[in-house]
Amino acid sequence: MPSLHLAVAIDRPDTHDAAPYLESALLAEHGALDFVTLHDSFARPGPDALAVAARIAPRTARIGLVPTVTTTHTEPFHVQAAVATLDWVSHGRAGWALDVSATEAEARLFGRRRAAPREELWQEAGDVAEAAALLWDSWEDDAEIRDVATGRFIDRDKLHYADFAGRTFSVRGPSIVPRPPQGHPVRVVDATAPQARETAARYADVALVRAASAERADAARAELRGLAARYGRDPHTLLVFAALDVDLGGGEHAAEPGHGGGPLPTAEGPAYRGGPVDLAELIADWHRAGAVDGFHLTPAEPRRDLERLVNGTVALLQHRGLFRTFYPGSTLREHLGLARPVNRYAALTGESA
Amino acid sequence: MTQRPKQIHLAAHFPGVNSTTVWSDPASGSHIDFSSFASLARTAERGLFDFFFLAEGLRLREHKGRIHDLDVVGRPESLTVLSALAAVTERLGLAGTVNATFNEPFELARRFAALDHLSAGRAAWNVVTTSDAFTGENFRRGGYLDRADRYTRAAEFLTTARELWDSWTPDGRPQPFAHHGRHFSVEGEFTAPRSPQGHPVVIQAGDSPEGREFAASAADVIFTRHGTPEAGRAFYADVKGRLAKYGRSADDLKIMPGVTFVLGDTAAEAQEKATEIRRKQVSPQNAILALEQVWGVDLSAYDPDGPLPDIDPDPDSELVQGRVKIGDPFAVAAKWRALSEAKGLSIRQTVIETTARQSFIGTPDRVAADLTEFVRTDAADGFILVPHLTPGGLDDFVDRVVPLLQERGAYRTAYEGTTLRSHLGLREPVWKG
Ligand SMILES: Cc1cc2nc3c(=O)[nH]c(=O)nc-3n(C[C@H](O)[C@H](O)[C@H](O)COP(=O)(O)O)c2cc1C
């Protein structure tokens, strides 16, 4: 059976200090989880997710750190540099949850352009993902040479102009940041909204889908992988996680009889209510059915539910041999079993040589 | 009782993309790995420095239409590095240079508020305005602003940021904000409560009358290039003289030149080391390049150990991109020729004589005395030290010069507060919600 992946949200909407985030990340790391996510939006109070991720990076060792960074209203050049830098300061544990800012209220905070339809914004998000990848590759891994004899610090033939021209922006390059440790930090896209699906299929390493049953999750994954294949990707390089809100309540088992069996649909998406043991059961079932590659869980009550999740659900999955008990590698890509991408410019030079 | 001498402020410039850093030295480490940043920051904190400083460049420099490959190239993004440094330091201020031309107030105010929260009150923003179409090619606006517009945008940018930082009440409730001006028309609700320092410390780096005026009206610190006592005193008097019309006093704006230093056990040893460092900073290839920057023409056929070219500079040259222009090329060329003829200097020797000059050279005692005198005579309020090595370039200074400054009573022996404002002796900004 392919390995099971687990990720959790560690959002604390009202907190701007680092301590509670660090506490949650350390707990998740204790459970050997793949990564933690930090949501972000200009639309409501909350700290800058990427800054929080960077702040906790030196105090954690293995856990992947995946902040949301919107591609709307931001500068693609700055965004790719910040994400690459998160990868540098975390020694290869950075991810990036791409999102769009679709409201008129968010547009007014910037005052540069009107709100646009989600369809367009997700196309632009795809452009930003493409430009970022080009800029991450704009330095070959061995561009820094420090050749005293010729006085050259870098080999300029190993630096490349991205020259990306998209629908809403263009970028010349190269990046100011050398290629990050993972080559490309891991890209995560919530593919629940239909407008996000193409971008997810084309650019995500991990796509999240909100599904109330294993069958629906399986169908969503098949659709995404089908699209990925049409974009020329190996579909198995696109991992699909089921996204669930979880309320682990007070007891060991389901809070309400019959509720532990599966998530219930709510306005925000499928929500699981029940005990940690039943959640472990659900995860094991869906995984055994081969419906998903992993789960992204959002605790209803940050501190309580994360604690019950790690010490209850994850411990049980580990006990049954369904989930790792230690990190065999050190980068987020290694946790996810994803290869370090080949640098596309280096590949080109290699071919022409 | 004798009065306590004027206190010196110190900051550490991370040595990266510039012509000061000697990357060819075996002791020079990575300019990218986080361990280098953490190591230099910890040294600065051990030396009780006010802050740690990162510069910014948003496009790789070019020379003759190709990427400049002789100096250190590449750097991580400042605010992300500083957020991570907040985890490995406790008191040190964390200053990031971020351009006001290629950013938007809401997002940047939010990022600096985050840094101030995540560091418990240690954030600083060095507002720079460098803008050219060359750099603009990496950004949505693609824009070019001429100098006057750059500073009006920067001033309005900062005003808007301050409105955002003040938009939550001190007891933590968001209030709607609206700013409608020439450069920005924005409204809504800010996402972060007032940060520990109220407003992050604001630094300005720029030298023109517009730049000085902007600093006098709005900055807490000026980063300058005036590293000699005479130039420092003139700049100091000029800028401090501009404060009164903004209702500010001399203490509200600290003047800190970027300076280099070389230490030795004896004066002769220090001098010898300084000469050696200058030879490494100005490699044969760098000497030709420096010459080409003045002349604006391809001089690669010239021998760096030979005489200066007798051809005229090209004033319209676009040979150099992404660097501050040197001034009137004819005047500079004439000066260099005169110097070379008078002293019989080669190209490389001439470049060494005219550029990359270290500011403070000598025994730790001599350097401590010179720094104290510099500050006592109002040539500066302190210094942003630019070491020539990463990351160990401050070790000697902190171990050998700081204790002497302390003995002289010119430097703190412990941090008195926890915020950067408290280190700099700056007042907390009044809430104008
Ligand atoms: C000491 C000093 C340091 C500077 N550092 C930077 C920097 O790191 N990044 C940048 O884009 N501009 C930097 N600048 C450029 C200034 O922001 C400004 O654009 C430039 O000096 C031109 O403005 P002026 O005519 O007022 O001097 C620096 C300027 C000075 C004087």
Side-chain angles (χ1 to χ4, degrees):
Chain A
M1 206 182 329
S3 44
L4 169 66
H5 299 286
L6 293 175
V8 287
I10 58 166
D11 302 303
R12 306 270 182 116
D14 296 336
T15 310
H16 289 258
D17 292 341
Y21 297 100
L22 179 58
E23 184 192 45
S24 295
L26 287 171
L27 185 56
E29 186 169 82
H30 178 71
L33 267 53
D34 290 82
F35 60 88
V36 295
T37 60
L38 288 128
H39 187 60
D40 201 355
S41 162
F42 297 134
R44 54 181 165 71
D48 183 277
L50 189 129
V52 172
R55 172 64 177 76
I56 64 178
R59 295 260 174 250
T60 53
R62 294 296 179 97
I63 188 94
L65 303 167
V66 184
T68 296
V69 183
T70 180
T71 59
T72 315
H73 307 302
T74 48
E75 287 287 354
F77 190 81
H78 289 323
V79 169
Q80 63 82 27
V83 173
T85 301
L86 180 63
D87 208 40
W88 280 106
V89 303
S90 66
H91 302 289
R93 296 184 284 129
W96 167 22
L98 286 84
D99 202 357
V100 298
S101 306
T103 66
E104 195 60 51
E106 286 160 294
R108 277 200 294 270
L109 299 170
F110 286 79
R112 288 214 287 196
R113 60 182 199 194
R114 303 290 306 269
R118 270 179 198 276
E119 197 93 70
E120 273 172 40
L121 295 179
W122 275 108
Q123 278 182 11
E124 180 182 51
D127 282 353
V128 175
E130 176 73 27
L134 288 167
L135 290 163
W136 291 334
D137 282 349
S138 67
W139 287 63
E140 293 185 34
D141 290 316
D142 50 358
E144 184 180 315
I145 50 169
R146 297 192 185 221
D147 185 35
V148 178
T150 57
R152 293 177 307 148
F153 180 77
I154 46 153
D155 177 352
R156 56 158 74 109
D157 294 335
K158 295 191 170 182
L159 293 184
H160 306 276
Y161 293 98
D163 278 332
F164 177 84
R167 282 157 282 220
T168 56
F169 67 93
S170 59
V171 180
R172 178 102 169 99
S175 180
I176 50 165
V177 187
R179 195 163 194 256
Q182 295 185 99
H184 298 177
V186 170
R187 285 178 301 222
V188 178
V189 175
D190 186 334
T192 306
Q195 300 95 333
R197 236 160 261 166
E198 294 275 336
T199 300
R202 194 159 180 185
Y203 295 105
D205 299 295
V206 177
L208 308 183
V209 295
R210 288 172 198 278
S213 68
E215 293 70 37
R216 285 204 212 151
D218 193 29
R221 183 170 68 175
E223 184 196 335
L224 285 165
R225 288 196 167 160
L227 283 171
R230 266 199 270 144
Y231 285 115
R233 288 182 68 179
D234 169 1
H236 296 283
T237 61
L238 172 58
L239 302 179
V240 179
F241 285 19
L244 284 181
D245 291 340
V246 298
D247 176 350
L248 295 180
E252 270 311 298
H253 287 271
E256 295 159 30
H259 197 148
L264 288 186
T266 73
E268 283 81 48
Y272 173 86
R273 267 186 78 200
V277 175
D278 294 307
L279 180 59
E281 209 66 59
L282 182 147
I283 290 173
D285 282 350
W286 288 30
H287 182 60
R288 205 175 301 121
V292 288
D293 303 297
F295 289 82
H296 175 263
L297 306 170
T298 301
E301 178 69 45
R303 182 178 246 138
R304 181 199 67 191
D305 288 337
L306 182 59
E307 167 101 49
R308 296 178 76 81
L309 187 74
V310 170
N311 294 332
T313 308
V314 174
L316 205 62
L317 291 167
Q318 289 170 329
H319 182 71
R320 293 207 205 144
L322 292 175
F323 190 65
R324 68 167 86 89
T325 52
F326 64 95
Y327 292 100
S330 61
T331 70
L332 176 53
R333 282 191 174 273
E334 284 166 354
H335 305 341
L336 293 168
L338 295 171
R340 189 173 188 271
V342 173
N343 184 313
R344 74 178 81 184
Y345 298 102
L348 286 177
T349 332
E351 271 163 35
S352 63
Chain B
M1 203 178 115
T2 54
Q3 224 196 328
R4 194 166 87 139
K6 190 175 158 192
Q7 296 296 292
I8 297 176
H9 293 281
L10 291 177
H13 187 299
F14 183 83
V17 180
N18 55 38
S19 50
T20 308
T21 305
V22 177
W23 57 259
S24 59
D25 193 301
S28 164
S30 170
H31 301 90
I32 306 296
D33 286 344
F34 182 63
S35 61
S36 292
F37 292 88
S39 167
L40 191 90
R42 287 198 181 105
T43 305
E45 188 163 77
R46 185 159 59 79
L48 308 172
F49 281 33
D50 289 17
F51 60 91
F52 174 93
F53 181 92
L54 291 174
E56 180 187 69
L58 295 172
R59 180 149 173 201
L60 303 187
R61 293 172 307 192
E62 287 180 7
H63 185 73
K64 294 197 270 190
R66 301 169 72 194
I67 289 165
H68 172 63
D69 60 355
L70 302 178
D71 299 327
V72 171
V73 179
R75 56 178 127 210
E77 189 270 324
S78 299
L79 280 168
T80 306
V81 171
L82 295 175
S83 296
L85 286 175
V88 299
T89 54
E90 283 174 6
R91 300 290 187 99
L92 186 68
L94 302 166
T97 301
V98 184
N99 210 291
T101 303
F102 302 112
N103 287 280
E104 296 300 318
F106 181 85
E107 190 191 8
L108 201 58
R110 187 173 187 268
R111 296 190 78 197
F112 272 106
L115 182 61
D116 210 39
H117 279 290
L118 293 169
S119 66
R122 300 188 276 138
W125 173 25
N126 178 32
V127 188
V128 292
T129 55
T130 311
S131 152
D132 44 45
F134 177 74
T135 305
E137 283 187 297
N138 281 333
F139 296 96
R140 288 182 190 268
R141 279 179 71 245
Y144 173 82
L145 292 174
D146 57 45
R147 175 171 299 171
D149 278 346
R150 277 170 10 216
Y151 279 111
T152 58
R153 180 180 161 104
E156 193 181 324
F157 196 119
L158 184 55
T159 301
T160 310
R162 286 186 162 140
E163 288 165 4
L164 290 162
W165 291 328
D166 277 350
S167 70
W168 286 52
T169 62
D171 62 349
R173 276 173 301 119
Q175 293 185 328
F177 76 89
H179 175 101
H180 297 286
R182 193 178 137 216
H183 293 274
F184 308 107
S185 192
V186 294
E187 59 186 41
E189 210 167 87
F190 195 48
T191 54
R194 202 166 154 81
S195 71
Q197 292 188 106
H199 301 171
V201 166
V202 170
I203 305 174
Q204 191 271 355
D207 206 19
S208 61
E210 295 92 336
R212 294 178 188 206
E213 210 57 41
F214 172 49
S217 69
D220 300 305
V221 175
I222 298 195
F223 177 20
T224 96
R225 290 207 176 87
H226 301 287
T228 66
E230 307 72 42
R233 273 191 290 275
F235 182 79
Y236 193 97
D238 176 81
V239 172
K240 298 256 177 175
R242 294 170 190 256
L243 289 166
K245 65 172 170 288
Y246 300 103
R248 308 181 72 203
S249 70
D251 283 345
D252 293 337
L253 179 62
K254 304 291 188 252
I255 296 181
M256 301 178 70
V259 299
T260 58
F261 59 90
V262 182
L263 301 174
D265 290 334
T266 62
E269 192 201 303
Q271 208 38 260
E272 217 169 279
K273 268 207 226 167
T275 306
E276 186 51 33
I277 291 166
R278 276 155 79 165
R279 278 185 61 78
K280 285 185 181 160
Q281 286 166 333
V282 184
S283 65
Q285 296 84 357
N286 255 323
I288 295 296
L289 182 134
L291 207 65
E292 288 177 336
Q293 284 175 355
V294 175
W295 261 258
V297 284
D298 185 343
L299 300 171
S300 50
Y302 283 77
D303 176 5
D305 296 321
L308 264 61
D310 47 18
I311 53 173
D312 277 338
D314 171 6
D316 303 320
S317 164
E318 298 203 349
L319 201 68
V320 185
Q321 292 276 28
R323 270 181 201 265
V324 178
K325 291 262 188 303
I326 293 182
D328 173 16
F330 290 97
V332 178
K335 206 173 92 191
W336 285 22
R337 271 203 200 102
L339 180 78
S340 153
E341 273 157 33
K343 294 196 179 177
L345 302 179
S346 69
I347 288 173
R348 189 175 178 199
Q349 287 165 330
T350 307
V351 174
I352 286 173
E353 277 287 305
T354 50
T355 62
R357 189 180 297 280
Q358 289 97 350
S359 319
F360 295 90
I361 302 170
T363 60
D365 233 0
R366 176 79 257 152
V367 169
D370 289 347
L371 293 172
T372 312
E373 186 62 10
F374 203 97
V375 168
R376 189 188 69 77
T377 58
D378 284 347
D381 295 311
F383 305 93
I384 297 182
L385 298 177
V386 189
H388 69 271
L389 282 181
T390 314
L394 277 181
D395 295 354
D396 267 2
F397 188 93
V398 166
D399 292 335
R400 303 179 70 189
V401 181
V402 164
L404 298 174
L405 296 175
Q406 290 168 328
E407 269 174 35
R408 291 168 176 269
Y411 192 64
R412 66 171 67 96
T413 52
Y415 285 115
E416 280 151 32
T418 59
T419 67
L420 175 54
R421 276 185 190 278
S422 71
H423 307 337
L424 288 164
L426 295 169
R427 280 177 291 197
E428 186 147 312
V430 181
W431 182 65
K432 295 190 196 133

